Amino acid sequence: MGLFGYIKRYSGIFLADVATSIGLYYLWNKGHKYLVPTVSLCGIGASYLCCHLKSRDKLTSNDVIVITGCGSGLGYSLALYCRQLGATVIAGVLQMDCPSVQRLEDEGVIVFPLDLMELNSTTGFTDSVRRTIAEKRLVLRCVINNAAVMVFGEFEWQTYGQLKNQLEVNFLGAMIVTQELMPIIRAHYSRIIVVSSHCKTQPIPGASVYSGTKAAISAWATGLRVELKKYGIKVVSVVPGSFIKESNIFTRQADHFEAMKWVMSNEVQKFYGEYLYRYMKYFSSLVKNTTVQTVRDGRIYEIFEGALLDRYPSATYKNESWRYAIYHTLFTITPTFLRDRLVERFVHAPAWTKEDAEKSVESAQKAMNGLYNRYNGHI
């Protein structure tokens, strides 16, 4: 952390000390000469306590940080950043032949394959972590559960494989990795960091499944934090905010839509009509970049450094722009019908028009008539 970082981090203490100094000068001039030393000692004590609570540990090459989902986006960026902080980083990637692996290994990151949908791959990864720590006599400092999959599309459209993928990668996989490493976590008093999302507090349409997995993992982290506290293990949730331009989370969105259309019945396609294709075209167009690059938002690294190194960490570290802060405040305080309108405006997805509704009514009625006739014919 540079000079600017220290100034920003301790700016509150500095301002409080300035205000206290002005107050002491006023009291001295008013003749309260015995009160000034008392207030001064209280101020010094408060400043010391605040600095103590904000103190951070340091990383060395003997400290290991395990990160899942390092093939691109946030995981890739965190692996490189933790190396810059001086730690030994063990990264899990889905595909060992992806472009990011070479860059990670060039920077000294230890990379192992990790497919959170395959139990053998997950246990193989954790075995590799244990072996590396034992052979090099390292200390496991932190496990960062970062890996996640996001499929955009209304709930009815998503395939069984897409539902299963999001549940297993975003939620179940994190639990299995953490559980497998718990003996080392307990022995080293390691920290567990869970990457959450704003979607946990305000699920959004089109990502209801993803939102559900993030709400689930956040609830798990909350319970785990209290559960493991007595063993000296800290559990922290991080909400990193939006970084779509540097993330490849939408890279396969067009493929996801093709899979949806492949299994979608004619009745469903007729019901949604043109809305379905407008929706797919809009979200497919969001994929602007498929190259691997690091996250550019410096605030994300700041909150992760705090989550990783603060001696007295907060339960949740959050990165959000003023726009996100305003929207999520409004989501919390407004009535349901207004909140739903705000959420739709926030997502800004293609609209379900009056024409879409009129056509869908006719399609739905035909489908129900066909259903009635089919079952009545068997009576």
Side-chain angles (χ1 to χ4, degrees), residues 15-43:
L15 292 174
D17 288 343
V18 170
T20 302
S21 300
I22 294 173
L24 291 174
Y25 178 76
Y26 174 79
L27 291 174
W28 183 272
N29 287 338
K30 289 295 184 179
H32 301 288
K33 302 188 184 301
Y34 294 104
L35 184 60
V36 170
T38 304
V39 175
S40 299
L41 288 174
C42 291

Side-chain angles (χ1 to χ4, degrees), residues 166-179:
Q166 291 176 89
L167 286 168
E168 292 191 352
V169 174
N170 301 1
F171 182 39
L172 183 60
M175 292 197 295
I176 294 175
V177 168
T178 303
Q179 190 176 58

Side-chain angles (χ1 to χ4, degrees), residues 223-235:
L224 195 66
R225 185 182 71 250
V226 180
E227 192 175 298
L228 298 182
K229 182 179 179 180
K230 57 182 175 291
Y231 308 124
I233 301 169
K234 297 179 174 65
V235 181

Side-chain angles (χ1 to χ4, degrees), residues 210-266:
Y210 174 83
S211 301
T213 62
K214 286 301 182 180
I217 199 171
S218 297
W220 171 67
T222 300
L224 195 66
R225 185 182 71 250
V226 180
E227 192 175 298
L228 298 182
K229 182 179 179 180
K230 57 182 175 291
Y231 308 124
I233 301 169
K234 297 179 174 65
V235 181
V236 178
S237 294
V238 174
V239 180
S242 178
F243 45 93
I244 292 178
K245 292 182 179 180
E246 297 91 17
S247 173
N248 287 346
I249 201 165
F250 278 155
T251 301
R252 297 189 61 243
Q253 189 58 52
D255 295 334
H256 291 317
F257 283 141
E258 286 299 319
M260 292 176 197
K261 288 191 294 183
W262 181 259
V263 302
M264 195 177 291
S265 67
N266 290 332

